[in-house]
Amino acid sequence: MSPGIVERGAARAEPAASTEAHMRLTGILPPVAMPFDEHGEIAYSAIAEQIDFMVESGVRGVVAGGSTGEGHTLDSDEFVKAMQTAHDAARGRVPFLAGLIVNSTREAIRRIRMLRGLDIAALQITPVHYLFKPTPDATVAHFRAIAQETDAPILIYNVIPWNYLSVDLMLRIMEEVPSVVGMKQSSGDLKSLSDLTAAVKPRNLVLSGIDALLYPAFALGAHGAISALTTAVPGTCVKLHQAVAAGDHATALDLHRRLGALWNAMTHDNLPACVKYVQHRQGLGMFHPRAPMDRVDEAQKARIDVALAALKA
């Protein structure tokens, strides 16, 4: 049976489930860039177009509710409807992952309960992030309490700058909470990613969220990526991952440099808007970030167009 959301007290994921997750959750797993219209409302009908674009590009899964998807801006009703819409649009063609950007254990559990009935391949969950940093023991307890609510594998979304979890703490969480099967490293700290790939157990996953360093991350042994570039240009990222797996480092380095030029053309404080514009330039509808984030201006568009043309040449 596929992992999914279950009632409290049901059978929990054991290490065997981690092995299954390792097999299913590798490669390019792009996050959905939530399509907001000019009034800041979700254009739910556009989610399927985006997921079709990703699946047809050869990705291995899709993630809804992450940072690129501005999951932190979704209220409860929007969260449920967006997750249901994205889940249904995937149509079982690839694994579906649900992202939770949360400020408390209670909120994480509440959102997990909203997802009951969906076939969730994994949950991508942040440490708490508003301001204060819990102790390592409290962080372990946070993920243990979440794990008790679901049999879906859990990925630590290690992205919060003032609560960035150490390698040792993540290894401890995976040891003490076996259904926490891996993590997505989203800082530019390539050393921690290298340390993790060297130290994790074979059943665990290390995924990269470091857009500028996808090639070295894969070369160091990262099992895949969930990042903005994988959403903007999923097909190119699939080719990069495949080239590294095949030992074709000349191709991988060329793709890395062209992806780097595109990344440098995208204003990172306005990243979701830039990702949506790149998708639009490849035939998808044009959508916007949610206020107060800025839209892509004409100068940004010009820089992105040049880099995208070079990438696609």
Side-chain angles (χ1 to χ4, degrees):
M1 182 176 66
S2 297
I5 302 300
V6 298
E7 301 290 333
R8 179 192 289 268
R12 303 288 174 241
E14 295 300 325
S18 299
T19 302
E20 180 185 351
H22 194 288
M23 295 174 62
R24 299 183 74 202
L25 304 177
T26 58
I28 302 303
L29 310 165
V32 175
M34 198 58 61
F36 297 109
D37 66 19
E38 61 183 3
H39 304 295
E41 301 298 327
I42 300 176
Y44 292 101
S45 62
I47 292 174
E49 176 189 44
Q50 185 176 160
I51 291 179
D52 288 345
F53 167 67
M54 294 169 175
V55 172
E56 290 164 7
S57 298
V59 305
R60 295 288 301 276
V62 293
V63 187
S67 302
T68 300
E70 298 168 84
H72 54 287
T73 73
L74 304 181
D75 65 32
S76 295
D77 291 340
E78 291 173 327
F79 174 80
V80 172
K81 187 172 181 180
M83 290 294 177
Q84 180 73 61
T85 302
H87 170 272
D88 293 350
R91 303 200 311 273
R93 292 172 291 173
V94 294
F96 174 76
L97 291 77
L100 279 68
I101 301 175
V102 294
N103 270 317
S104 68
T105 308
R106 179 176 181 272
E107 178 63 14
I109 290 171
R110 191 174 74 90
R111 294 222 166 190
I112 286 171
R113 291 174 179 173
M114 294 176 186
L115 299 175
R116 285 176 178 158
L118 301 185
D119 180 18
I120 306 293
L123 294 162
Q124 177 188 265
I125 304 176
T126 62
V128 297
H129 72 278
Y130 170 62
L131 179 62
F132 304 110
K133 181 176 179 177
T135 64
D137 286 349
T139 299
V140 174
H142 172 70
F143 283 100
R144 181 181 292 115
I146 292 169
Q148 289 173 350
E149 289 292 330
T150 176
D151 68 348
I154 295 168
L155 297 170
I156 301 168
Y157 184 12
N158 198 24
V159 68
I160 310 305
W162 50 87
N163 192 12
Y164 196 66
L165 306 189
S166 69
V167 170
D168 287 343
L169 180 52
M170 287 186 290
L171 292 172
R172 177 187 166 191
I173 293 169
M174 289 187 293
E175 182 66 28
E176 296 186 21
V177 189
S179 57
V180 178
V181 300
M183 77 296 300
K184 170 187 166 184
Q185 288 290 90
S186 295
S187 157
D189 178 9
L190 200 58
K191 181 182 184 303
S192 69
L193 188 143
S194 177
D195 290 344
L196 281 163
T197 58
V200 295
K201 293 182 177 179
R203 63 182 175 84
N204 294 135
L205 288 159
V206 180
L207 301 172
S208 177
I210 310 169
D211 280 288
L213 300 171
L214 293 179
Y215 167 47
F218 296 154
L220 286 167
H223 301 103
I226 304 171
S227 73
L229 280 178
T230 68
T231 301
V233 283
T236 303
C237 294
V238 168
K239 290 177 183 177
L240 173 60
H241 185 257
Q242 291 174 340
V244 176
D248 183 358
H249 290 279
T251 296
L253 183 58
D254 176 61
L255 291 171
H256 164 75
R257 287 174 173 159
R258 287 192 278 155
L259 283 167
L262 177 61
W263 178 246
N264 290 337
M266 299 164 73
T267 303
H268 301 162
D269 282 341
N270 197 27
L271 187 56
C274 293
V275 168
K276 293 169 192 178
Y277 177 69
V278 174
Q279 289 184 329
H280 173 62
R281 295 295 289 159
Q282 297 170 91
L284 277 66
M286 181 62 186
F287 294 98
H288 308 286
R290 180 164 266 181
M293 303 309 298
D294 290 327
R295 300 180 184 185
V296 180
D297 62 28
E298 294 306 313
Q300 289 174 322
K301 290 178 182 179
R303 291 193 299 271
I304 289 171
D305 286 347
V306 170
L308 183 60
L311 178 65
K312 295 295 184 180

